[in-house]
């Protein structure tokens, strides 16, 4: 019995072992395969969670979207590129990544190039309707019937009374000639003509002859209607023949003179329609036509005048009122041009770039392409070459696409030829560990400075801050005006307060400061101004480091991508980074290098 049980148990064990071996042979390979598939699936599932990074600081990695803890810029999704995509130079983005990065696209089309040009100006009296009311009688002003500026006068109205000894004598001569007019009629006629030369009418002369007595005061009558713009004399003044008493303007027609900047002159021409408003008349819009365009540029303001002649019904417009106008200008020389929004274009100073969308088997990808820009249309650009009608481009989120391309080592704004994937923001240090030219500063040691000189240098710095803010706003005209103020403050610095080596050092610094600020103050090209601004700051650093500021702290800040990727510095009154080289495009790019 025991032997039988033992045999039974051995048979069962042998059967189980044989079954296990057979199962392994039949399903072991597929089991491993299944396990491998499960692993891939797990990896794929884990890949669905996006990794987020910063375009400026790619070493940042987060599992959720948010702001970069270093510079505060929005994080962008980081993707592993599919090596099987159609164009190895393009960057692929999933629909989710595009949505989170706020990427949107549009089809390139052609439009008639129309630009809304904003103009500011003032109301002025029509120069052709302004006249001087003069007295044709020499003598003393006895009465003024019009006593203040702004009073309205009508043609033929008496405006003043003049006592003239010469006129009294001429009347006596007339009376004597009247007595002998039968024997000497020519003498009588000559006496009357003398009075007519003083603008006495025939009726006035006949009234004198009838009365037989001399008149001591004669009235001056208005030769036209209008408003007194200027009163030139006072009661009791002596005046010469032909001397002006009032300046009078007819305001039934006025001029509206608009300032046209050099950059807008190509868009403005005679015959253009202008819609304009006045702050004191809210809700009202006026319309006029440009009848004249100044052929020269004002050397101080760098603007030309465009004139609109306006029929001033009800005298709503008054001289010296400020007006704001808009011209819908057409560039007739380039009909049917390719036009793209400004948000689609990334500009490095030398190159203008767009990202063209392409559909591949792997999904949506974007390829960087260089284009040639034509005139600006306000919120869009004319594209002269590089794009064709019907192509689809990114119009929002272009910097996010470019950042992703940088991280993947694809061609980008910073690296036109592409390269190795970025691993961090080197702040201007090259692969060889050397600094860019903009960062190289020879050692500058502070020196003892006359307090008066330090105050004058502080005045220059305060004007500089206004120019820096204008660069942040990317307003070329404001930069030009602010630079003129910096230039004036530099001229007020008394170098005689410095002695010895300090005097020599300031002379060298001043040479660069004056030459660069002069070019900034004469330019209306914001990028040219920024190039000079970068050079100005290098010399200004030496000045502030050597001589110091009075009761001021300034922050010396740096961006490696400014000045065409050469790097550039600027000064700020606060530690907050507000980049003057890119404006709103990359406002937070940079870091504080030194506190003075």
């Amino acid at each position: 019995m025991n032997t039988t049980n033992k045999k039974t148990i051995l048979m069962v064990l042998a059967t189980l072992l044989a079954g296990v071996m057979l199962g392994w042979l039949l399903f072991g390979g597929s089991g491993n395969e299944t396990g491998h598939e499960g692993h891939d699936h797990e990896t794929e599932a884990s890949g669905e969670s996006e990794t987020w990074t910063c375009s400026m600081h790619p070493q940042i990695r987060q599992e959720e979207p948010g702001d970069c803890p270093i510079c505060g810029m929005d994080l962008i999704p980081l993707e592993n590129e599919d090596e099987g995509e159609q164009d190895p130079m393009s960057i692929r983005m999933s629909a989710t990544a595009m949505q989170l990065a706020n990427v949107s696209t549009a089809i390139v089309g052609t439009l008639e190039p129309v630009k809304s040009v904003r103009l500011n100006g003032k109301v002025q009296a029509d120069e052709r309707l302004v006249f001087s009311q003069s007295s044709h009688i020499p003598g003393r002003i006895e009465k003024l019937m019009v006593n203040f500026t702004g009073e309205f006068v009508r043609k033929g109205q008496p405006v003043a009374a003049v006592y003239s000894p010469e006129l009294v004598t001429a009347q006596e001569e007339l009376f004597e000639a009247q007595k002998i007019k039968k024997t000497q009629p020519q003498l009588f006629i000559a006496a009357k003509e003398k009075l007519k030369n003083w603008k006495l009418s025939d009726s006035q002369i006949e009234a004198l002859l009838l009365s037989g007595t001399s008149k001591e005061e004669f009235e001056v009558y208005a030769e036209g209607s209008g408003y007194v713009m200027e009163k030139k004399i006072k009661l009791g003044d002596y005046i010469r023949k032909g001397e002006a008493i009032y300046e009078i303007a007819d305001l039934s027609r006025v001029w509206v003179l608009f300032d046209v900047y050099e950059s807008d002159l190509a868009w403005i021409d005679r015959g253009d329609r202008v819609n304009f408003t006045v702050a004191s008349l809210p809700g009202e819009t006026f319309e006029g036509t440009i009848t004249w365009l100044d052929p020269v540029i004002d050397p101080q303001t760098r603007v030309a005048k465009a004139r609109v002649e306006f029929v001033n019904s009800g005298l709503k417009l008054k001289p010296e009122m400020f007006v704001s106008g808009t011209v819908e200008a057409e560039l007739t020389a380039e009909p049917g041009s390719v036009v793209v929004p400004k948000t689609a274009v990334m500009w490095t100073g030398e190159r203008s770039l767009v990202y063209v969308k392409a559909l591949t088997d792997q999904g949506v990808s974007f390829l960087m392409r260089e284009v040639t820009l034509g005139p600006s249309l306000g919120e869009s650009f004319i594209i002269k070459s590089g794009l064709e009608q019907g192509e689809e481009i990114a119009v929002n989120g272009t910097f996010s696409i470019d950042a992703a391309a940088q991280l993947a080592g694809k061609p980008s704004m910073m690296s036109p030829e592409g390269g190795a994937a970025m691993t961090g923001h080197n702040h201007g240090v090259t692969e060889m560990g050397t600094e860019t030219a903009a960062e190289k500063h020879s050692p500058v040691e502070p020196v003892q400075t006359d307090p008066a000189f330090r105050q004058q240098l502080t005045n220059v710095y305060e004007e500089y801050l206004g120019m820096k803010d204008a660069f942040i706003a990317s307003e070329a005209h404001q930069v030009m005006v602010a630079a003129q103020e910096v230039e004036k403050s530099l001229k007020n610095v008394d170098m005689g307060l410095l002695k010895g080596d300090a005097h020599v050092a300031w002379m060298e610094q001043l040479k660069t400061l004056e030459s660069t600020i002069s070019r900034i103050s004469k330019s209306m090209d914001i990028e040219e101004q920024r190039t000079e601004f970068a050079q100005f700051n290098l010399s200004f650093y030496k000045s502030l480091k050597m001589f110091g500021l009075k009761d001021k702290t300034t922050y010396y800040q740096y961006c490696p991508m400014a000045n065409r990727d050469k790097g550039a510095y600027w000064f700020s009154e606060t530690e907050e980074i507000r980049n003057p080289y890119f404006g709103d495009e990359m406002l937070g790019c940079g870091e504080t290098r030194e506190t003075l």
Side-chain angles (χ1 to χ4, degrees):
M1 185 68 176
N2 289 336
T3 303
T4 303
N5 288 338
K6 287 180 180 180
K7 290 181 178 180
T8 303
I9 292 171
L10 288 173
M11 290 179 64
V12 171
L13 290 174
T15 303
L16 287 172
L17 182 61
V20 170
M21 291 296 293
L22 183 60
W24 182 84
L25 289 173
L26 293 174
F27 303 107
S30 61
N32 286 342
E33 199 173 311
T34 305
H36 181 64
E37 286 178 359
H39 175 70
D40 285 349
H41 178 71
E42 205 171 316
T43 303
E44 191 176 314
S46 65
E48 291 177 359
S49 62
E50 298 276 9
T51 299
W52 295 80
T53 186
C54 175
S55 59
M56 294 295 100
H57 303 91
Q59 70 269 26
I60 300 300
R61 296 287 191 273
Q62 292 185 7
E63 295 182 356
E64 296 180 353
D67 296 334
C68 174
I70 298 176
C71 65
M73 293 182 67
D74 291 338
L75 298 182
I76 62 171
L78 176 65
E79 291 193 343
N80 294 321
E81 294 293 324
D82 187 342
E83 294 180 356
E85 62 181 297
Q86 186 175 349
D87 191 332
M89 293 293 100
S90 63
I91 180 74
R92 186 169 61 84
M93 295 188 77
S94 67
T96 303
M98 289 177 61
Q99 184 178 8
L100 292 173
N102 197 29
V103 175
S104 59
T105 62
I107 303 294
V108 175
T110 59
L111 293 172
E112 294 301 319
V114 177
K115 178 179 181 179
S116 293
V117 182
R118 291 192 58 80
L119 303 174
N120 295 308
K122 286 200 299 187
V123 179
Q124 300 286 354
D126 188 334
E127 293 177 2
R128 298 166 298 186
L129 300 179
V130 178
F131 67 94
S132 293
Q133 176 62 58
S134 58
S135 172
H136 300 284
I137 304 169
R140 184 178 69 244
I141 299 294
E142 293 293 314
K143 295 177 184 177
L144 285 175
M145 290 73 163
V146 177
N147 290 309
F148 54 87
T149 302
E151 189 171 351
F152 182 76
V153 298
R154 290 181 176 82
K155 184 176 182 180
Q157 171 187 337
V159 294
V162 180
Y163 167 71
S164 174
E166 294 180 29
L167 194 55
V168 172
T169 302
Q171 292 177 81
E172 295 297 336
E173 291 175 357
L174 177 65
F175 295 145
E176 293 301 322
Q178 184 183 25
K179 296 176 183 178
I180 58 174
K181 70 176 181 177
K182 290 184 179 181
T183 56
Q184 297 186 21
Q186 295 300 322
L187 186 61
F188 179 65
I189 293 172
K192 291 174 66 175
E193 290 298 324
K194 186 176 182 179
L195 292 174
K196 287 182 180 180
N197 288 337
W198 276 315
K199 297 295 181 179
L200 267 68
S201 64
D202 289 334
S203 59
Q204 286 178 305
I205 295 173
E206 290 300 324
L208 286 173
L209 292 173
L210 288 175
S211 66
T213 57
S214 300
K215 189 175 180 181
E216 294 187 350
E217 293 181 7
F218 278 85
E219 293 177 337
V220 178
Y221 295 94
E223 297 174 0
S225 299
Y227 290 87
V228 176
M229 306 300 289
E230 185 180 358
K231 179 184 170 186
K232 296 178 178 290
I233 48 87
K234 299 184 293 293
L235 191 66
D237 286 351
Y238 281 85
I239 57 173
R240 297 183 300 275
K241 181 180 179 180
E243 185 175 351
I245 305 174
Y246 306 101
E247 184 177 282
I248 298 174
D250 180 359
L251 300 180
S252 60
R253 290 182 64 88
V254 293
W255 287 351
V256 182
L257 298 180
F258 290 100
D259 294 333
V260 183
Y261 297 115
E262 287 182 79
S263 57
D264 292 329
L265 280 174
W267 296 94
I268 304 298
D269 204 352
R270 291 187 183 186
D272 288 345
R273 303 292 295 176
V274 184
N275 294 311
F276 61 93
T277 58
V278 182
S280 59
L281 299 171
E284 287 200 56
T285 301
F286 304 92
E287 187 176 329
T289 302
I290 295 177
T291 59
W292 179 83
L293 190 61
D294 203 329
V296 296
I297 300 292
D298 188 302
Q300 298 298 321
T301 61
R302 310 303 303 167
V303 299
K305 296 291 184 182
R307 185 173 74 207
V308 172
E309 298 176 16
F310 186 77
V311 178
N312 195 17
S313 303
L315 301 181
K316 290 183 176 181
L317 301 187
K318 297 173 173 54
E320 301 303 320
M321 275 185 170
F322 286 104
V323 299
S324 298
T326 304
V327 176
E328 297 295 329
E330 295 184 7
L331 196 62
T332 55
E334 300 187 38
S337 302
V338 173
V339 177
V340 301
K342 277 189 173 180
T343 54
V345 181
M346 295 185 299
W347 192 58
T348 67
E350 294 181 341
R351 300 178 301 130
S352 300
L353 309 170
V354 298
Y355 273 96
V356 181
K357 180 181 177 181
L359 290 174
T360 66
D361 293 339
Q362 288 75 34
V364 176
S365 62
F366 292 92
L367 181 65
M368 188 186 74
R369 187 183 299 175
E370 187 169 342
V371 296
T372 302
L373 297 182
S376 169
L377 303 180
E379 295 302 319
S380 55
F381 281 120
I382 292 177
I383 301 297
K384 287 185 172 292
S385 64
L387 278 178
E388 299 293 336
Q389 183 180 359
E391 291 187 291
E392 190 170 359
I393 61 171
V395 294
N396 281 311
T398 49
F399 280 96
S400 298
I401 299 173
D402 190 74
Q406 288 184 48
L407 297 176
K410 302 299 178 68
S412 64
M413 181 173 66
M414 295 290 294
S415 304
E417 303 301 325
M422 293 177 60
T423 59
H425 193 11
N426 62 16
H427 287 280
V429 180
T430 66
E431 292 178 0
M432 297 299 293
T434 59
E435 291 184 320
T436 60
E439 293 188 85
K440 292 180 180 178
H441 280 304
S442 56
V444 180
E445 295 297 329
V447 299
Q448 291 294 325
T449 309
D450 189 305
F453 183 88
R454 184 177 290 114
Q455 179 60 60
Q456 293 168 3
L457 190 60
T458 302
N459 295 340
V460 176
Y461 171 72
E462 289 175 346
E463 297 294 346
Y464 166 93
L465 293 177
M467 178 175 67
K468 183 261 299 181
D469 290 340
F471 272 114
I472 293 172
S474 299
E475 291 289 346
H477 182 257
Q478 292 180 18
V479 170
M480 182 186 71
V481 174
Q484 292 170 0
E485 296 302 317
V486 175
E487 194 171 22
K488 290 178 186 176
S489 62
L490 274 173
K491 294 183 187 300
N492 292 331
V493 175
D494 183 6
M495 68 179 69
L497 298 172
L498 300 175
K499 307 298 180 186
D501 293 340
H503 183 90
V504 174
W506 170 249
M507 289 287 290
E508 293 177 355
Q509 296 159 17
L510 184 62
K511 182 178 180 181
T512 302
L513 294 175
E514 287 185 332
S515 62
T516 52
I517 202 66
S518 175
R519 287 190 283 269
I520 294 173
S521 67
K522 294 175 182 176
S523 174
M524 276 292 290
D525 186 314
I526 190 67
E527 294 307 321
E528 289 180 3
Q529 292 173 328
R530 281 172 169 152
T531 300
E532 298 298 333
F533 184 59
Q535 295 302 313
F536 179 92
N537 285 313
L538 294 177
S539 290
F540 201 35
Y541 168 82
K542 296 177 182 178
S543 302
L544 298 188
K545 181 79 172 178
M546 182 175 289
F547 305 113
L549 293 169
K550 183 178 180 182
D551 301 326
K552 297 280 186 184
T553 298
T554 187
Y555 300 91
Y556 196 40
Q557 299 173 337
Y558 177 74
C559 173
M561 291 189 292
N563 197 20
R564 300 175 183 175
D565 300 336
K566 299 174 185 176
Y569 288 89
W570 71 94
F571 289 96
S572 176
E573 67 275 29
T574 66
E575 286 190 88
E576 180 186 3
I577 299 296
R578 290 173 58 80
N579 193 318
Y581 294 98
F582 294 104
D584 290 338
E585 293 180 358
M586 299 177 66
L587 188 61
C589 180
E591 62 181 1
T592 298
R593 284 294 181 88
E594 190 173 348
T595 302
L596 303 178

